[in-house]
Amino acid sequence: MPARTRHAEPAATEVMEESRPVAGLQFNEALSWRAGKPIGIADLLRRLQALSREMREMEQEENERDSFTKVAKELASPNLLAHKDKGIRAWTACCLVDILRLCAPDAPYTGPQLRDIFTLFVTSILPALSDPSNAYNSQHMYVLQSLAQVKSIVLLTDIPSSEPLVVHLFTSFFDMLLGASRATTGEQLAKSVEFNLTAILEILVDESTSLPADVVDIIMAQFLRADPHAVSTIGRGSKKHGVSAVDEKQTTLALKELPPAYNMAKSICNSCADKMSRYVSQYFNDVIIYASSFSATDGGAKHRSHRRSSVDLDDSDDGGTSGPTEEDMEELHKAHRLLRELWRACPGVLQNVIPQLEAELSAENVQLRLLATETLGDIVSGIGAAGPPPPPPMDPAAYPPVTITAYQQSTGIQNLLTTPCSPQPFPHTHPSAYNNFLGRRQDKSGLIRAAWTTGIGRILATSAGGVGLSRHEEERLIGDLAHMLGDGDEKVRIAAVKAVAGFEYRDIIAKLGSSGGISKPGSVLATLAERVRDRKHSVRVEAMRLLGRIWGVGAGEIAADEEQAVFLIGDAPSKILDTFYTNDMEINVLLDHVLFELLLPLTYPPIKSKGTKSTASSSQKVGDSQVNGDSEAQPPDADTLRTRRILVLVKHLDEKAKRVFFALQARQVSMAKILATFLKRCEDYNGGVMDENEKDIKAHLTRLIENFARQLPDPARVTADLWKFAKMHDRRNYQLMKFCIAPESDYRTVFKAIKEFSKRIEAAPGAPAGLLETLTPLLYRSSVLIYNKSHVPAIMDFSRSEEHPLASTAHEVLKEISSKTPEVFKAHIQELCKVVQEQAPTADKPNEPGAVDTLKACAGFARKFPQDLPKDRKFLQCLTEFVLHGTPPQAAKHAVTIILAVSDRKAMHAKDLLKQTIKGFKYGSNAFLSRLAALSQLMLLAPKEVDEESDSIVDIAINQILLTVRSPSNNSEYDWEDKVDEECEAKMWALKILVNRLRSYDDPSTLKTIAEPIYRLLKLLITEDGELSKAKDTPYSHKPRLRLLAAQSYLKLCTQKVFNELLTPSDFNRLALVAQDVLYQVRFGFVSKLQKYIGQNKLPQRFYAIVFLLAFDPQDQFREDTLTWIRSRSAFLAKQKSTVMEAVFARLLSLLAHHPDYDTGVDDLLDSARYITFYLTSVAKEQNLSLIYHIAQRVKQKRDAIDPDMSDNIYHLSDLAQAIIRRYEEAHGWSLQTFPQNLRLPNELFSSIPNEELAQEIARKSYLPDGLAGSLDALVKVKAKAKAKKRKSDEHNDAPARKKSRSATTGAPSASTATSKASKSLPVRKASAKSVKTPKAKKTKEVECAPSSERRRSGRGTAAKTYAERDDEEDDEEMEMLNQEDDAEAEAEESEPEPTSPDPKVKAKVNGNDARKAKPARKPPPRNKASKPAVQDASVDSASAASDDDDDDGELSSPPDSD
């Protein structure tokens, strides 16, 4: 049948066959009545049904139209149209639509009649379709289908003033599809109803010359049904057609299909895109232009332009004197949310709106630009009104771990409304708007840049809504994201970090990883890693948590050695742990949370709550979802999985981070003891009710709480919280905390205790809001979470197989456990001893390489718990076999330690071992190195038993080993070789024998006599660069190791007061020069050992001065690390109200005065000035500058006590220091106050001036040469500028602070100065300013070797010490007072040589030749050569080469807080 359209012409009369007459309507019953005589309802229904049946069978072109005139008139009567019976109205409507169909295209009705007819349709018949259970639903459906198929609905547009009916029609249709059926049975609308409703509305939109504004509002409002938060109206203030309630189907988080009303609006817009685009454009023009217009200040309706040039990016954020009101902005937000959804549903209708949105990008008002930037970012990403998809499920505790190859999307049903979807590539469809959007990267407003950063993050994460990005465009956006991570505005950096957090793990690796990994500067991941040290705490929190989460999710792939994952994110834990060196309490607390919640989450792997029993070897079991088919397969052990993750973490840490990790575990021991004491005092405190010792208990509890408060941010709040915890007096909480810190607790016990403790604190009625936040870091730091007894079996299993990739790491961790927390071995010590017996060597069979680590673990346990080790003969015999035949020699040393610790007959076993080791000893015999190691340990642990044979032992050590040269020198230079030959190793053990004899000597009356030859030997090794032979034929590869060992032995001896007193100031100055050795390995090994002992408070304060000699060290990284260490120590001592770092300045000046390169020329004094400025940059603050200046003045009031003839040197340095300090004060804008006290200087360094006249003459005289002042001004300005630049970079965080700070040590003198100095043997300034730049590690560029003076000045770092005019005894007393932690008793230190050599990459090269081939400038040649290694970072092996006893293996200086 022909459809009715507005523009349809009357159908042409067809020529009918004469034999077939035209049929007419046969129905002839009355349908109308006179007033007062109505037709009965039943009879009327019958008539209407008969009429309807007859007309349904009739075709439009086969009927006589005049026959419908009477019926059409009666059907349009008010009696039928307004009949009270629903059935009458329903059947009347059916007949009317048939009349309209049969008479199409001309309806036999007048305008008013059509209005009444469509009023019936719109207000009664069609709305009734919402109830499918209605008795007349089939009639309603017939009317709907006829109006849609015949398009009779188009007549509605011809009715005058039909807008209310059109609006009502649209309103009722959309309301009908809201989803809530009115049927009592709950039956939903049929899909055919939805289809026909949509068709009717499409016809109306397509055929109407104009749509009422309210209709456009209604259509637009349907798209906001996709916004779960839309509860109010949108548009011009009308609530009638808005979204008054969220669609029932929107309440679920995962919609299976879009709402029907949404689909209907979408279909209308897509099928009538041309017309709707005009209406939508006008709609947004009204909303956006109205809301974004500015009101005049007088309250009038004047509007002014809100646009600005798109390239004008320098306006302020204020946006003018007036702007949109809050109500206007709310309307704008709704409109822009609608834009997002319209792009997803029907982008064709926005072709005229996008230019308006683009214009908003150039608006003066920041809020408008912000809104436009956010909207365009989401549009390009295909994000609609419902907002972005939920964050990806990146759970670091998930098991099995995520892998890229088997990566799958979340198994949950995707929410269609939040799934990004862009039907068209926006950059290609609207290139101008897209380019303008990209230009917001340079917007001056941080808010705009932050929103833009969020937008590009979403574009990358969604691949532009699923349509994809070209490689060029993707690389550009990734580069922009990396740039915004370093933006100067805190809000932008946070937005960038959160943008990265919006990526799934797969996309982080595949997309963001395309710019490089964490180790590649400038990449997204590298810049993200830099943000963990951001100046703003809010940025640090987001960055560190994200970086930890990324590594935690990828830990499975890293454990499997997936190359891509290891390369990209393997360094993440190192970057996180490196933040510990900042010594910031907020960072340290954050580090605790990241370590135990993301890197090593407490819940990894998921623990079953039932059916799991704790055993000695396994505390948890988990199911393995990767096991397929075999239900009887043994599930993996949870402890093994967790241990593997710990070892994977440790394996990929760099040396600095590894020291932090191990220091944190060492801190756990002391923290556990302090916490145990705190809990004991809380019990004694009894909630504040005490019967006795109230004052003492409160005082002790106060000290403990103050100690905890110093370790956490906001000490006042921490103090209040801890007192509140003590007053709560919850004994169950006390017991739970004891479970956490007890070494005998397995992991499951600790985990459950922490979990229950957290719940109890949160639920405690009297607990303050932040109590759990305060207690959690303390609990993490003191709980046995890493070195737990549940992990020991797995660590041992990993260590047994040398081929396992985690074997070496397992050995390393075993060493740490044995030295820090041997208690955890208690449950497994028998198994450990059994392993030792199985690995015991014989004369014909060597032991396994891993046996030495097992022995060390047993030795560490034996020193603390000797009674728990077996004492049977078989076990002791196997240990004896290790003494006689063990390899490497350290195995023999550990075996001796165990035997002497566990044996009840120590003297007998010691003599027996001594007899077997020295009997028939001959260099080169079988296992002679093991015998030397055993002798070294016997000398230390059993001095009385070996005293009878001490002469024989000394003869072996000196005559047979040290003074005998067996290997011809294969090198002509003082150089470091990676491999240690037997002769060198033997000499190292021999030297340890002599030092250990001295360490164990207990007769004070003859101690000096015994010590003198050994001290002379050590001094000779240091001053002669490791040469002992009178023939000077010691192999050059032996010399650096012997010199390093001698220096470390001095340090070890000086940890005891009596030996420190034997080290004269002159010898101390010679020892200090080891910090400027030509070889990096020697410098690093010596300074690392020095930092370790200082960190443990074992060395007197004078040793602080040595580390400041690293001011010229050519290894930038080494120098920067030392500088960080000094600042950390300085901050720590300042908290203790100690003046150690200030008082050490006097010792530094004395050390410089006796430096072999010291001279009083201008250039030489400038070198000394750089030492002083290096000290000031690391120690000086406005608060302590006056004290430092006072010390510099006091030096000029004394004479040199070491050599009075060199007193002029200290006077030069005093004047130099005062001049630099005054300039330093001016450069920083500080105020230098007079120090009120008069400090004494160290008596052994400074003595009184003999007479007053000489003192006054010295005081009046200026010792600084002419021409120095200008150079000092330049030097201090360079330092101050570099420091200010670093502070600025910290504020903006555009680059890591460590890199920026390098310029602080490169203040070089002028070119003329360098030229005049070139003829001398002091090319320090040249080397420092130009040639001594350490090449990048990648290129391993060879550098030139320089003479002694240059080496000393180009190899100096920093670390300070405190001597404020006091004797060493007074200094020692103060050092003892600095111990704030209850450390365990000092373990017996034992010595051992370390054959492991430094990283070969660190070896210096000289223009294609080895550094040893460079010609020295003066004698003695070896010591005066400068080596500038090409690799910046210290290797792990160089650290182990530096260690010399079993407590120190692989352990370097402790991080700051370990103090």
Side-chain angles (χ1 to χ4, degrees), residues 1357-1432:
T1358 35
K1361 189 154 187 168
T1362 303
Y1363 279 114
E1365 276 208 356
R1366 298 187 297 188
D1367 295 333
D1368 284 344
E1369 293 182 3
E1370 294 173 297
D1371 297 334
D1372 295 338
E1373 291 175 2
E1374 181 176 1
M1375 291 298 287
E1376 293 297 328
M1377 296 175 63
L1378 293 178
N1379 289 313
Q1380 67 167 356
E1381 297 178 352
D1382 297 329
D1383 294 326
E1385 293 184 0
E1387 300 174 358
E1389 292 190 6
E1390 307 161 6
S1391 57
E1392 68 178 66
E1394 182 58 67
T1396 307
S1397 61
D1399 192 333
K1401 296 179 182 178
V1402 186
K1403 186 174 296 184
K1405 297 291 183 179
V1406 185
N1407 294 333
N1409 302 314
D1410 292 343
R1412 56 180 176 267
K1413 295 181 181 178
K1415 295 294 183 181
R1418 59 178 182 175
K1419 299 295 183 179
R1423 183 161 55 94
N1424 291 343
K1425 295 188 295 294
S1427 172
K1428 308 166 187 68
V1431 180
Q1432 296 181 10

Side-chain angles (χ1 to χ4, degrees), residues 579-871:
T579 60
F580 189 77
Y581 288 98
T582 60
N583 205 30
D584 183 280
M585 289 182 288
E586 287 184 335
I587 293 180
N588 291 342
V589 170
L590 177 60
L591 177 59
D592 294 328
H593 285 281
V594 172
L595 181 60
F596 294 111
E597 294 170 9
L598 298 171
L599 296 178
L600 302 173
L602 300 181
T603 55
Y604 178 82
I607 300 173
K608 288 187 177 181
S609 59
K610 296 181 181 180
T612 304
K613 296 182 179 180
S614 177
T615 65
S617 62
S618 176
S619 63
Q620 304 151 31
K621 299 287 183 180
V622 300
D624 188 353
S625 61
Q626 291 178 328
V627 177
N628 297 323
D630 186 5
S631 60
E632 298 180 359
Q634 181 69 25
D637 177 30
D639 293 326
T640 301
L641 294 174
R642 193 181 314 104
T643 303
R644 180 190 297 272
R645 184 151 179 171
I646 293 172
L647 296 179
V648 168
L649 175 71
V650 175
K651 177 184 177 181
H652 293 280
L653 293 177
D654 60 29
E655 195 59 36
K656 283 180 59 181
K658 193 175 293 184
R659 292 200 298 268
V660 172
F661 182 82
F662 289 142
L664 293 178
Q665 312 319 312
R667 182 185 67 179
Q668 182 273 325
V669 179
S670 57
M671 284 291 295
K673 292 179 180 179
I674 298 174
L675 187 59
T677 305
F678 172 73
L679 295 176
K680 177 65 171 61
R681 281 308 181 193
C682 285
E683 292 174 342
D684 296 339
Y685 185 67
N686 196 30
V689 181
M690 293 158 282
D691 296 333
E692 56 184 12
N693 300 327
E694 179 177 351
K695 184 177 180 180
D696 293 341
I697 292 173
K698 284 186 176 180
H700 193 190
L701 193 57
T702 299
R703 291 196 302 272
L704 291 168
I705 290 176
E706 288 176 351
N707 181 32
F708 285 135
R710 285 195 298 267
Q711 301 177 45
L712 299 175
D714 196 356
R717 182 178 66 84
V718 173
T719 301
D721 287 346
L722 292 179
W723 275 113
K724 183 64 177 178
F725 176 76
K727 292 176 181 178
M728 288 168 57
H729 196 54
D730 189 327
R731 294 187 180 275
R732 178 58 180 171
N733 285 339
Y734 298 161
Q735 186 58 50
L736 291 172
M737 297 181 81
K738 290 178 182 178
F739 285 148
C740 293
I741 64 178
E744 59 271 14
S745 296
D746 63 15
Y747 187 85
R748 181 175 182 135
T749 301
V750 175
F751 169 71
K752 287 191 171 183
I754 293 176
K755 188 176 180 181
E756 182 182 347
F757 178 82
S758 301
K759 290 181 178 179
R760 290 180 64 85
I761 293 297
E762 287 179 339
L771 181 58
L772 183 60
E773 182 182 350
T774 299
L775 292 174
T776 298
L778 298 178
L779 206 55
Y780 282 163
R781 295 177 185 183
S782 54
S783 298
V784 189
L785 293 169
I786 306 297
Y787 293 168
N788 189 278
K789 74 173 190 177
S790 298
H791 301 154
V792 173
I795 296 176
M796 293 169 58
D797 288 342
F798 286 123
S799 67
R800 288 177 184 174
S801 175
E802 294 299 325
E803 297 179 357
H804 197 284
L806 296 176
S808 60
T809 307
H811 286 311
E812 191 173 4
V813 174
L814 276 178
K815 291 179 187 178
E816 289 293 323
I817 295 177
S818 65
S819 61
K820 299 299 189 304
T821 56
E823 302 93 312
V824 302
F825 283 124
K826 279 191 174 182
H828 311 284
I829 192 60
Q830 297 300 326
E831 182 180 354
L832 203 62
C833 293
K834 184 179 179 181
V835 172
V836 170
Q837 295 182 39
E838 293 174 353
Q839 297 178 342
T842 63
D844 301 324
K845 184 190 74 172
N847 55 274
E848 295 182 7
V852 64
D853 297 308
T854 308
L855 281 169
K856 180 167 184 178
C858 286
F861 184 85
R863 279 193 288 266
K864 283 194 174 183
F865 310 100
Q867 68 280 2
D868 293 333
L869 269 76
K871 301 179 181 180

